[in-house]
Amino acid sequence: MPTETDSDAETAWRRELAEAGELTPNAVDTLIKLHDGRGARAIEAVSEGRIKRYRDFTVVVGHEDEYVVEDGGCTCKDSAYNLDPEDPHERCWHVLAVAIAERIGEVDYHEMWYSEVREFI
């Protein structure tokens, strides 16, 4: 997910995290201001190490299922039913979590295919 967006506020928190390499109070405040509960849930998922990158997909482990995040989209119901597809700044918490984790080095890498892992779940 790119750091530069057409929203100054979105770009600012992404850039700040990338430069700091960690969650900063200002970036957290901005993220929650822009994304409310979704931002808070994303931060929680990153803090708990629930962002996994496999050879084929990036996956966010939710409380009830795992969600594939790819090309700025997600397989969750929130993305499918609640978000405005015309608004590029509306993102589910899974997509936000991946954006955060990538910038602060908190993605858990696995040298295997997610499709193989999914067979065991």
Side-chain angles (χ1 to χ4, degrees), residues 12-22 103:
W13 72 258
R14 292 170 189 228
R15 187 178 294 152
E16 184 172 334
L17 291 181
E19 290 171 0
E22 63 184 5
R103 283 159 183 76

Side-chain angles (χ1 to χ4, degrees), residues 27-100:
V28 168
D29 288 345
T30 302
L31 197 91
I32 291 173
K33 178 182 171 190
L34 293 172
H35 299 286
D36 300 316
R38 289 183 180 114
R41 288 183 74 182
I43 292 166
E44 178 184 314
V46 172
S47 299
E48 294 174 355
R50 296 190 279 136
I51 291 61
K52 317 287 183 193
R53 177 153 303 137
Y54 297 92
R55 289 179 178 171
D56 45 357
F57 297 111
T58 301
V59 174
V60 177
V61 180
H63 295 292
E64 297 176 19
D65 203 354
E66 294 185 347
Y67 304 95
V68 174
V69 174
E70 185 176 33
D71 298 327
C74 182
T75 59
C76 73
K77 290 179 182 175
D78 191 28
S79 286
Y81 300 113
N82 298 329
L83 301 179
D84 179 359
E86 301 299 317
D87 185 348
H89 303 296
E90 276 197 9
R91 299 284 184 228
C92 68
W93 69 266
H94 311 103
V95 171
L96 293 171
V98 171
I100 295 165

